[in-house]
Amino acid sequence: MGAHIATMAGGADPYGSIPNAALAVKGESIAWIGRAEEAMRAASARNIPQHDVRGRWMTPGLIDCHTHLVYGGNRVAEYERRLGGATYEEIARAGGGIQSTVRATRAASADELRVSALRRARRLMSEGVTTIEIKSGYGLDLGAERRMLEVARGLGRELPVSVRTTYLGLHALPEEYRDDRRGFVDAASGPWLEAIAAAGLADAVDAFCESIAFTVGETEQFLAAAKRLGLPSHVHAGQLRDVGAAELAARYGALSADHLECLSAAGTEALARSGTVAVLLPCAYFMLRQTAPPPVALLRAAAVPLAVATDCNPGTSPCTSILLALAMACTSFGLTPEEALGGATRNAARALGLAADRGTLEVGKRADFALWDIDRPAELCYALGANPCAGVVYGGRLRNDS
Ligand code: NIG
Ligand code: FE
């Protein structure tokens, strides 16, 4: 008996599924996909090793395309204050929030950052995640930003998971620049960005374009500088207010615009025209007790590709479960299970600029896949808090490092 393969590659069947199927791997890539009987005959004739996956479901390796996985400390005390009625914005304006994680991250050694991030990465991997995007943004000076990105790159060497790094240069205004916004934006968009790009530490950039963070003008300066260096961009857009960040992201051809609880029809159209992926982050929405979800029906009607990610971070989403994010995307945001799974595979790959290489199970793509003890794919969104993952293959290799 072979696998039921959810290729997520489109086509007539839901989930692009192929029943009783098999997949052949050569090196790090998928060499063949088709019916199990055919594969078994060909493999036996040629003495190719076979693995019977006993009727399990197989999906592409999951891709968490938005995390802040590397950080110092935690924000559980802030969580308690928010439960007591304080808002995220109030805490941020009073110098807590992101600033408190900046203090803890600057104080942490590279090894301390590495050890806590490893734990979080392994939890994601245990649920079939084979690619993780990791942002900086809690250093906010060149040395500490570099350290975060180096730790993130190191995780990718230490673990079988693929890591993509993002320089989140504009996340918050650090204390030492309180009276010099211009100086900070100039540094982050100038010499710091150049040094990080020259060291090959970032695959992309990101900015928090928001009422409590950076303006459209400041974000534009940063994105323009990144573009000149050939670095693609993501934008944290419309999490708390609509300041026009989605339109800016679209204007710069950003790979993704993320959050989008506050998004107008014009912003949606702009994303559709630029092909920018809308990355939905339902765990942050839940933790901030927001009540107005992103305009999913508008996004869907405009054919904006939808991705789903954990947003793993100490403030708004201390979540290391991609399956929980998928469940919340369905229940809180109204995605179908097929859209949610597509959001952590095909469209997450696109949000990272990796669609040619991964995100679906197709011949020629990277052999990253997960095996599941489930009866049907929707169970990945349904079995709240359970982990039905029965195995993960990274680039053709079955590994148990999670
Ligand atoms: O994606 N919104 C900005 N950045 C993170 C939260 C960062 C924090 O609160 O530490 C987010 O929600
Ligand atoms: Fe984020």
Side-chain angles (χ1 to χ4, degrees):
M1 194 192 293
H4 302 298
I5 301 187
T7 66
M8 303 310 291
D13 293 316
Y15 302 91
S17 58
I18 315 175
N20 293 319
L23 173 156
V25 171
K26 188 157 188 212
E28 297 193 342
S29 304
I30 298 170
W32 186 89
I33 303 184
R35 295 280 170 183
E37 315 84 73
E38 209 181 309
M40 266 144 46
R41 266 199 310 275
S44 307
R46 290 191 239 159
N47 262 332
I48 297 172
Q50 303 172 42
H51 301 275
D52 183 357
V53 299
R54 296 190 297 275
R56 290 190 168 112
W57 276 88
M58 179 190 290
T59 67
L62 303 185
I63 299 173
D64 194 350
C65 68
H66 180 142
T67 86
H68 309 248
L69 192 83
V70 173
Y71 59 81
N74 68 55
R75 303 243 290 280
V76 64
E78 173 187 322
Y79 172 61
E80 290 180 290
R81 281 177 62 200
R82 279 194 274 119
L83 290 177
T87 69
Y88 184 63
E89 282 164 285
E90 279 163 16
I91 291 169
R93 289 191 200 281
I98 294 173
Q99 299 291 356
S100 65
T101 299
V102 171
R103 289 188 285 274
T105 302
R106 287 179 176 178
S109 69
D111 200 55
E112 286 164 342
L113 293 177
R114 170 186 154 268
V115 168
S116 65
L118 264 177
R119 205 162 45 230
R120 294 187 275 271
R122 287 199 166 108
R123 288 202 199 114
L124 288 174
M125 291 163 64
S126 72
E127 289 188 346
V129 170
T130 51
T131 301
I132 308 177
E133 184 263 10
I134 303 177
K135 302 176 194 297
S136 64
Y138 293 123
L140 303 182
D141 62 38
L142 179 57
E145 287 290 302
R146 282 183 84 124
R147 196 157 44 141
M148 289 186 72
L149 293 166
E150 282 161 4
V151 168
R153 283 267 194 252
L155 294 179
R157 289 189 293 269
E158 194 167 343
L159 298 169
V161 74
S162 303
V163 169
R164 302 291 287 182
T165 57
T166 302
Y167 172 44
L168 173 48
L170 301 187
H171 197 194
L173 188 67
E175 266 148 20
E176 64 276 17
Y177 279 94
R178 192 178 316 159
D179 302 317
D180 187 14
R181 288 185 73 85
R182 167 61 77 89
F184 176 73
V185 175
D186 285 349
S189 313
W192 299 355
L193 173 62
E194 282 155 27
I196 284 166
L201 282 172
D203 300 308
V205 301
D206 195 347
F208 188 18
C209 182
E210 183 55 69
S211 49
I212 56 165
F214 293 91
T215 65
V216 166
E218 290 163 342
T219 305
E220 175 153 18
Q221 179 183 336
F222 180 69
L223 297 186
K227 194 167 189 175
R228 283 194 293 275
L229 293 171
L231 282 173
S233 55
H234 308 279
V235 180
H236 279 71
Q239 182 181 20
L240 307 168
R241 306 258 184 270
D242 182 3
V243 298
E247 287 87 336
L248 176 69
R251 200 140 46 77
Y252 276 81
L255 287 172
S256 72
D258 304 47
H259 289 287
L260 300 173
E261 278 79 5
C262 308
L263 176 69
S264 66
T268 306
E269 285 307 321
L271 294 177
R273 277 194 301 275
S274 64
T276 298
V277 177
V279 177
L280 307 181
L281 304 167
C283 299
Y285 170 89
F286 170 77
M287 286 295 283
L288 293 181
R289 293 198 278 186
Q290 289 179 272
T291 50
V296 166
L298 268 184
L299 288 162
R300 194 187 273 136
V304 175
L306 303 177
V308 178
T310 61
D311 195 14
C312 175
N313 78 74
T316 62
S317 185
C319 168
T320 46
S321 170
I322 189 79
L323 297 182
L324 188 59
L326 298 188
M328 290 196 181
C330 295
T331 304
S332 305
F333 288 175
L335 267 63
T336 66
E338 189 176 357
E339 284 174 326
L341 190 58
T345 53
R346 185 182 59 247
N347 289 343
R350 183 165 167 182
L352 297 180
L354 295 174
D357 180 58
R358 62 192 73 188
T360 61
L361 296 177
E362 291 177 277
V363 171
K365 288 209 177 175
R366 187 175 159 82
D368 280 353
F369 50 89
L371 292 164
W372 307 95
D373 276 322
I374 53 176
D375 293 328
R376 50 198 284 176
E379 218 170 310
L380 296 178
C381 307
Y382 156 83
L384 212 60
N387 181 10
C389 187
V392 190
V393 171
Y394 306 85
R397 296 226 188 110
L398 180 66
R399 300 279 294 259
N400 289 316
D401 309 44
S402 62

